[in-house]
Amino acid sequence: MSVVSVPSLPGRARCVVIGGGVIGTSVAYHLTALGWTDVVLLEQGELSCGTTWHAAGLVGQLRASESGTRLVQYSTELYDRLEAETGLSAGYRQCGGVIVARTADRLTQLRRTAAAAEAFDLECDLLTPQQAGERFPLMATDDLVGAIWLPGDGKANPTDLTLALAKGARLRGATVIEHVRVLDVTTKNGAVTGVRTDAGDIEADVVVNCAGQWAKQVGAMVGVTVPLHSAEHFYVVTDQIDGVHSDLPLLRDPDGYTYFKEEVGGLVVGGFEPEAKPWVAPDAIPYPFEFRLLEEDWEHFEVLMDNALLRVPVLHDTGIRKFYNGPESFTPDNQFLLGEAPQVRGFFVGAGFNSVGIASAGGAGRALAEWIVDGEPTSDLTSVDIRRFGVLAGNNAWLRDRVVEVLGLHYAIAWPNRELETARPFRRSPAYHLLADANACFGSRMGWERANYFAPKGQDPAIAYAWGKQNWLPWSAAEQRATREGVAVYDQTSFSKYLVAGPDAEAALQWICTADVAVPVGRTVYTGLLNARGTYESDLTVTRVSSEEFLLVSSSATTVRDQDWIRRNIGAEQVVSVTDVTSAYAVYGVMGPASRELLTRLTAADLSDEAFGFATSARIDLGHATVRATRITYVGELGWELYVPTELAVGAYEDLMRAGADLGVVNAGYYAIESLRLEKGYRAFGRELTPDFGPVEAGLMFACKVRSDVDFLGRTAVEKARSEGVSRRLVSFTVVDDDAMLWGGELVLRDGVAVGLVTSAAWGETVGSCVGLAYVSSVDGEVLTREAALQGSYAVNVGGEVLGIAVSTKAPYDPDGGKLRR
């Protein structure tokens, strides 16, 4: 079927895709490949006319995560074969890429990149400056300290790619209609029913929002938050240059914020300046805006041009053919948006690609199409899942301030604990001002300001970023010691909290949770939430607070995701409500061997081990306040989490610090929690627990009710994994060299062979070295037993230095849990 030039709309389609850029056409292409041929793609102008056409077209394969890398690897495979399938070339050419380093810190990052590439079985070579110059002869190398070579990198022509994907979709039955503008998305009973356009209405079961920088406007039609904001994005195309040919590699000079790519015998010279220039608000983008550019801004481009002249001196004598200033949309965390919106069933989003849309389009389009067809993702997409943001992230003023920083992060050094600085402080706990007075360094998660650590009075609490041990480590180590030896108070108000209530609450949670939650009132249970594949969608605690009411407590980042998962897996006939009470309660973790003594000074409740054992939860008095106290820990010591009504939170915090003064009570932050939980081998969702791993791999079968006859979501897959075995297992480790500093993401070697990556790592003050968790794999996908996982000589690659580690399936600290039974 050919492109419809004069609008002639069908009355109904199974799926309508909004947006004819590279993402929308990729989604349509992959939906038809999966058998959904009744697909209509609508474009308000012409295909690729929005932001796709002026993309630079770089396709770099290596990403920060394995799942992200696999997406781009698939993109390159797809682009390479599109012409044979459709008769239209994507303009794809594998030319390789060079990334150079001007500083020692940047070279350390590149060495870490090369190590990660080895884990992903992706070719990557470390180069000397001279070798880098041989790859890209026009480059000046006298100020470089090293580089890497990625032979799998390439480039594509954005418009050609879009047209090829659209043709592939049409060849399998999709209808592609240009010059039709979507005016509204219609809904009924919380689900999409179709779209209203300037050429008529289309009924549809599924609507996919791939509207690029217009995606926020389209989301607003149905009350869906699509947090993105456009920034002006610049590059120039030069006249032809001697020595520039079609196979010239991509060149990236991140310390100079610039990239270079061959185009028609000249160079595309662009980059990501440290401080971006926001464009108009997302709801003020002009219409029409087809194949349009913004005004040239040579003053803003100057920082990029100066660095380009330094790296490629021949540019001093080369003319500029064209200046491109094309707006592109960016998200608050520099990751794109994918998935079904939690507010409206059947409304999917694929947008906010942060200048990596061409590289990501193939893989992201396939992933979103699979999500649509299968009803859930088929791989780990948590880092790009639209449910990582709540309604608060849709504020245009907040987004505008954030986009100034986000664009520049593409080429900033990827410090392992880097905190975003703009549009903060944002969400604050009631005790925020008291923590600030105590000299806290705040980090941010889900918009919440959270204390990372506390600096001594008179010291600057700011993080001094480095690859080795950073300035705050002694302060966090002191907090760890206080927790292990005395008592510390942690403000954990950012925890997500939900009430699941109703006559069918227990039955619903028994299906959704891996653990048995049919427990007496006042009992707390740790559990996983799995999908049908038997892999993790979340992990949390469930406390039964009455016969028909349960309090669920989860991580800060999963507030929207968890509730959506729970709601969509409640039976249609079950009477259950899910209420977000996150902002209704502050949470204080009172942890350490002296925690019972501190709390006893403020309450008449019996907190003895006999009366208030581990996993007990009850309302108690605390000074003048009444709070819920739950005896549980994420740091491996005697302790309680106190759930305090927000209006009582300041007083409760003041009482805790006053009552514990002579006990040496200290404030402690999330960096200490990270270290302490890793000494205990406690897992974290998003790192150890993801949709790529299940309870057998993660070593959490104790939290699965497989010995009962109670079914739960994912049980069949879990039992299959247990009986047939798995090829990857999670291990704890300590580093032999106590001078080393690990952050997570380091390559793991067994007998010199790459077998995985560190998922989490931190300094463990109690064990006196860095400690962490890592998934290790077998050879060639063979079954890996727990015993076999511990065999061999293990090491980690830390910025190019290989260091020995000791691995275990037990926790490095208090492996038998005696500290919890005090």
Side-chain angles (χ1 to χ4, degrees), residues 2 60 70-71 75 234 275 282 370 402 627 703 733 749 753:
S2 61
R70 300 300 179 220
L71 287 183
S75 291
F234 310 90
E275 189 169 315
E370 290 173 346
R402 175 55 60 86
V627 308
F733 68 85
L749 303 162
V753 177

Side-chain angles (χ1 to χ4, degrees), residues 539-561:
D539 76 321
L540 42 77
T541 60
V542 177
T543 299
R544 187 167 209 153
V545 296
S546 72
S547 61
E548 295 187 357
E549 190 175 36
F550 296 80
L551 173 65
L552 279 58
V553 179
S554 189
S555 67
S556 307
T558 56
T559 309
V560 177
R561 177 191 176 92

Side-chain angles (χ1 to χ4, degrees), residues 504-820:
D504 298 315
E506 179 187 298
L509 289 175
Q510 282 288 70
W511 167 247
I512 295 168
C513 298
T514 62
D516 188 354
V517 299
V519 295
V521 172
R523 191 71 180 169
T524 297
V525 176
Y526 168 74
T527 184
L529 274 60
L530 307 181
N531 52 45
R533 302 192 313 279
T535 58
Y536 281 95
E537 294 293 335
S538 187
D539 76 321
L540 42 77
T541 60
V542 177
T543 299
R544 187 167 209 153
V545 296
S546 72
S547 61
E548 295 187 357
E549 190 175 36
F550 296 80
L551 173 65
L552 279 58
V553 179
S554 189
S555 67
S556 307
T558 56
T559 309
V560 177
R561 177 191 176 92
D562 286 342
Q563 291 178 80
D564 180 61
W565 185 258
I566 293 166
R567 288 190 178 102
R568 68 174 60 236
N569 284 293
I570 293 172
E573 304 302 320
Q574 291 179 325
V575 180
V576 185
S577 64
V578 182
T579 306
D580 183 5
V581 294
T582 298
S583 297
Y585 297 94
V587 182
Y588 300 130
V590 182
M591 300 290 157
S595 57
R596 180 181 284 119
E597 171 62 23
L598 191 162
L599 293 175
T600 299
R601 296 177 178 187
L602 294 170
T603 183
D606 184 353
L607 301 182
S608 66
D609 192 53
E610 295 75 21
F612 211 118
F614 187 77
T616 298
S617 182
R619 280 200 177 97
I620 67 170
D621 60 294
L622 188 81
H624 292 161
T626 300
V627 308
R628 172 166 294 280
T630 300
R631 186 175 164 191
I632 201 165
T633 181
Y634 197 43
V635 297
E637 297 293 337
L638 174 70
W640 280 261
E641 289 176 0
L642 306 177
Y643 297 84
V644 187
T646 302
E647 65 271 27
L648 303 176
V650 170
Y653 173 86
E654 291 172 336
D655 285 346
L656 288 168
M657 301 310 290
R658 173 186 52 79
D662 66 323
L663 296 173
V665 65
V666 303
N667 286 298
Y670 275 82
Y671 284 5
I673 291 176
E674 181 73 354
S675 295
L676 296 166
R677 71 103 177 168
L678 289 173
E679 288 185 329
K680 279 292 293 178
Y682 292 153
R683 284 68 163 149
F685 181 74
R687 284 179 280 176
E688 289 75 45
L689 309 181
T690 78
D692 282 344
F693 297 98
V696 178
E697 293 98 326
L700 293 179
M701 285 300 295
F702 75 87
C704 296
K705 48 181 178 275
V706 290
R707 294 185 180 180
S708 76
D709 59 359
V710 180
D711 199 9
F712 60 88
L713 180 57
R715 176 169 182 158
T716 300
V718 170
E719 291 183 326
K720 181 179 180 182
R722 185 173 63 161
S723 63
E724 295 183 358
V726 294
S727 61
R728 294 195 284 190
R729 288 187 180 272
L730 192 68
V731 296
S732 285
F733 68 85
T734 55
V735 183
V736 175
D737 185 347
D738 58 12
D739 289 328
M741 188 67 200
L742 276 67
W743 301 98
E746 293 83 5
L747 175 68
V748 179
L749 303 162
R750 181 174 60 229
D751 298 329
V753 177
V755 291
L757 289 175
V758 174
T759 55
S760 300
W763 174 260
E765 180 68 7
T766 315
V767 301
S769 69
C770 275
V771 60
L773 290 163
Y775 279 104
V776 297
S777 63
S778 62
V779 178
D780 298 328
E782 299 169 357
V783 170
L784 183 68
T785 65
R786 208 176 319 184
E787 295 72 25
L790 301 180
Q791 295 175 0
S793 176
Y794 277 93
V796 287
N797 184 320
V798 183
E801 184 178 4
V802 177
L803 303 172
I805 58 173
V807 303
S808 174
T809 54
K810 293 185 176 181
Y813 172 77
D814 188 30
D816 298 323
K819 300 288 186 179
L820 307 183

Side-chain angles (χ1 to χ4, degrees), residues 452-470:
N452 289 330
Y453 55 83
F454 293 82
K457 186 175 181 180
Q459 294 276 352
D460 181 357
I463 301 172
Y465 293 113
W467 290 109
K469 294 178 179 178
Q470 297 181 358

Side-chain angles (χ1 to χ4, degrees), residues 44 70 105 137 145 165 173 212 219 223 233 256 262 331 345 366 370 435 480 495 626 659 703 799 807-808 810:
Q44 64 181 349
R70 300 300 179 220
D105 281 336
V145 295
L165 289 167
H233 191 42
E262 181 274 338
T331 64
R345 293 289 177 261
R366 181 177 69 168
E370 290 173 346
L435 304 186
Q480 295 176 49
F495 275 169
T626 300
V807 303
S808 174
K810 293 185 176 181

